[in-house]
Amino acid sequence: MCEANAYLLKEGGDEELIFENVDRVLPGEEGILMEDIFGKRKLLRARIKEMALVDHKIVLEAF
């Protein structure tokens, strides 16, 4: 499968898993809208810091 897990970068550099099985990532003015393979959605006030697609990993940082 090609979905990824999304992590939020915390102070100190730690990463917190916030959403699994992400299938779609839609950036917008209010933040990042993510949708998983089951249709569940999550909107975060964040921007993309890094996407490592081979590792199935999306790292976000809050704004």
Side-chain angles (χ1 to χ4, degrees), residues 21-55:
N21 302 313
V22 177
D23 181 50
R24 297 180 72 199
V25 177
L26 304 164
E29 290 184 24
E30 303 221 4
I32 301 290
L33 176 64
M34 295 179 290
E35 184 175 323
D36 71 9
I37 59 175
F38 306 107
K40 182 179 174 186
R41 291 179 167 202
K42 183 177 276 196
L43 176 65
L44 291 169
R45 293 188 46 80
R47 64 181 137 263
I48 297 170
K49 172 77 173 170
E50 175 185 0
M51 292 180 69
L53 299 180
V54 171
D55 296 328

Side-chain angles (χ1 to χ4, degrees), residues 5-25:
N5 291 330
Y7 299 85
L8 186 62
L9 188 61
K10 300 178 82 173
E11 290 185 34
D14 293 333
E15 298 173 355
E16 176 186 355
L17 177 64
I18 54 169
F19 205 44
E20 294 181 292
N21 302 313
V22 177
D23 181 50
R24 297 180 72 199
V25 177

